[in-house]
mmCIF file with all atom_site columns, all heavy atoms in Angstrom:
data_model
loop_
_atom_site.group_PDB
_atom_site.id
_atom_site.type_symbol
_atom_site.label_atom_id
_atom_site.label_alt_id
_atom_site.label_comp_id
_atom_site.label_asym_id
_atom_site.label_entity_id
_atom_site.label_seq_id
_atom_site.pdbx_PDB_ins_code
_atom_site.Cartn_x
_atom_site.Cartn_y
_atom_site.Cartn_z
_atom_site.occupancy
_atom_site.B_iso_or_equiv
_atom_site.pdbx_formal_charge
_atom_site.auth_seq_id
_atom_site.auth_comp_id
_atom_site.auth_asym_id
_atom_site.auth_atom_id
_atom_site.pdbx_PDB_model_num
ATOM 1  N N   . LYS K 1 47 ? -43.929 76.307 -65.102 1.00 76.00 ? 47 LYS K N   1
ATOM 2  C CA  . LYS K 1 47 ? -43.464 77.567 -64.523 1.00 76.00 ? 47 LYS K CA  1
ATOM 3  C C   . LYS K 1 47 ? -44.646 78.545 -64.244 1.00 76.00 ? 47 LYS K C   1
ATOM 4  O O   . LYS K 1 47 ? -44.601 79.350 -63.370 1.00 76.00 ? 47 LYS K O   1
ATOM 5  C CB  . LYS K 1 47 ? -42.473 78.336 -65.381 1.00 76.00 ? 47 LYS K CB  1
ATOM 6  C CG  . LYS K 1 47 ? -41.248 77.423 -65.696 1.00 76.00 ? 47 LYS K CG  1
ATOM 7  C CD  . LYS K 1 47 ? -40.315 77.358 -64.523 1.00 76.00 ? 47 LYS K CD  1
ATOM 8  C CE  . LYS K 1 47 ? -39.076 76.563 -64.980 1.00 76.00 ? 47 LYS K CE  1
ATOM 9  N NZ  . LYS K 1 47 ? -38.783 75.483 -64.003 1.00 76.00 ? 47 LYS K NZ  1
ATOM 10 N N   . LEU K 1 48 ? -45.799 78.305 -65.033 1.00 83.00 ? 48 LEU K N   1
ATOM 11 C CA  . LEU K 1 48 ? -46.858 79.211 -64.856 1.00 83.00 ? 48 LEU K CA  1
ATOM 12 C C   . LEU K 1 48 ? -47.947 78.618 -63.831 1.00 83.00 ? 48 LEU K C   1
ATOM 13 O O   . LEU K 1 48 ? -48.777 79.420 -63.310 1.00 83.00 ? 48 LEU K O   1
ATOM 14 C CB  . LEU K 1 48 ? -47.638 79.319 -66.178 1.00 83.00 ? 48 LEU K CB  1
ATOM 15 C CG  . LEU K 1 48 ? -46.873 79.971 -67.351 1.00 83.00 ? 48 LEU K CG  1
ATOM 16 C CD1 . LEU K 1 48 ? -47.567 79.949 -68.660 1.00 83.00 ? 48 LEU K CD1 1
ATOM 17 C CD2 . LEU K 1 48 ? -46.510 81.538 -66.961 1.00 83.00 ? 48 LEU K CD2 1
ATOM 18 N N   . MET K 1 49 ? -47.777 77.469 -63.415 1.00 83.00 ? 49 MET K N   1
ATOM 19 C CA  . MET K 1 49 ? -48.672 76.821 -62.629 1.00 83.00 ? 49 MET K CA  1
ATOM 20 C C   . MET K 1 49 ? -48.442 77.301 -61.075 1.00 83.00 ? 49 MET K C   1
ATOM 21 O O   . MET K 1 49 ? -47.360 77.371 -60.698 1.00 83.00 ? 49 MET K O   1
ATOM 22 C CB  . MET K 1 49 ? -48.748 75.343 -62.649 1.00 83.00 ? 49 MET K CB  1
ATOM 23 C CG  . MET K 1 49 ? -49.331 74.760 -63.922 1.00 83.00 ? 49 MET K CG  1
ATOM 24 S SD  . MET K 1 49 ? -49.480 73.075 -63.963 1.00 83.00 ? 49 MET K SD  1
ATOM 25 C CE  . MET K 1 49 ? -50.826 72.845 -62.781 1.00 83.00 ? 49 MET K CE  1
ATOM 26 N N   . GLN K 1 50 ? -49.620 77.572 -60.332 1.00 85.00 ? 50 GLN K N   1
ATOM 27 C CA  . GLN K 1 50 ? -49.418 77.850 -58.923 1.00 85.00 ? 50 GLN K CA  1
ATOM 28 C C   . GLN K 1 50 ? -50.496 77.207 -58.177 1.00 85.00 ? 50 GLN K C   1
ATOM 29 O O   . GLN K 1 50 ? -51.605 77.563 -58.177 1.00 85.00 ? 50 GLN K O   1
ATOM 30 C CB  . GLN K 1 50 ? -49.529 79.484 -58.753 1.00 85.00 ? 50 GLN K CB  1
ATOM 31 C CG  . GLN K 1 50 ? -48.460 80.309 -59.426 1.00 85.00 ? 50 GLN K CG  1
ATOM 32 C CD  . GLN K 1 50 ? -48.661 81.775 -59.048 1.00 85.00 ? 50 GLN K CD  1
ATOM 33 O OE1 . GLN K 1 50 ? -49.569 82.174 -58.395 1.00 85.00 ? 50 GLN K OE1 1
ATOM 34 N NE2 . GLN K 1 50 ? -47.798 82.561 -59.592 1.00 85.00 ? 50 GLN K NE2 1
ATOM 35 N N   . PRO K 1 51 ? -49.978 76.173 -57.394 1.00 88.00 ? 51 PRO K N   1
ATOM 36 C CA  . PRO K 1 51 ? -50.979 75.434 -56.708 1.00 88.00 ? 51 PRO K CA  1
ATOM 37 C C   . PRO K 1 51 ? -51.602 76.267 -55.658 1.00 88.00 ? 51 PRO K C   1
ATOM 38 O O   . PRO K 1 51 ? -51.007 77.231 -55.110 1.00 88.00 ? 51 PRO K O   1
ATOM 39 C CB  . PRO K 1 51 ? -50.204 74.347 -56.076 1.00 88.00 ? 51 PRO K CB  1
ATOM 40 C CG  . PRO K 1 51 ? -48.770 74.422 -56.634 1.00 88.00 ? 51 PRO K CG  1
ATOM 41 C CD  . PRO K 1 51 ? -48.650 75.621 -57.413 1.00 88.00 ? 51 PRO K CD  1
ATOM 42 N N   . VAL K 1 52 ? -52.766 75.914 -55.282 1.00 87.00 ? 52 VAL K N   1
ATOM 43 C CA  . VAL K 1 52 ? -53.574 76.668 -54.205 1.00 87.00 ? 52 VAL K CA  1
ATOM 44 C C   . VAL K 1 52 ? -53.141 76.191 -52.853 1.00 87.00 ? 52 VAL K C   1
ATOM 45 O O   . VAL K 1 52 ? -53.123 75.037 -52.526 1.00 87.00 ? 52 VAL K O   1
ATOM 46 C CB  . VAL K 1 52 ? -55.104 76.421 -54.295 1.00 87.00 ? 52 VAL K CB  1
ATOM 47 C CG1 . VAL K 1 52 ? -55.837 77.227 -53.295 1.00 87.00 ? 52 VAL K CG1 1
ATOM 48 C CG2 . VAL K 1 52 ? -55.548 76.915 -55.766 1.00 87.00 ? 52 VAL K CG2 1
#
Side-chain angles (χ1 to χ4, degrees):
K47 303 291 184 226
L48 297 175
M49 293 189 67
Q50 295 184 359
V52 176

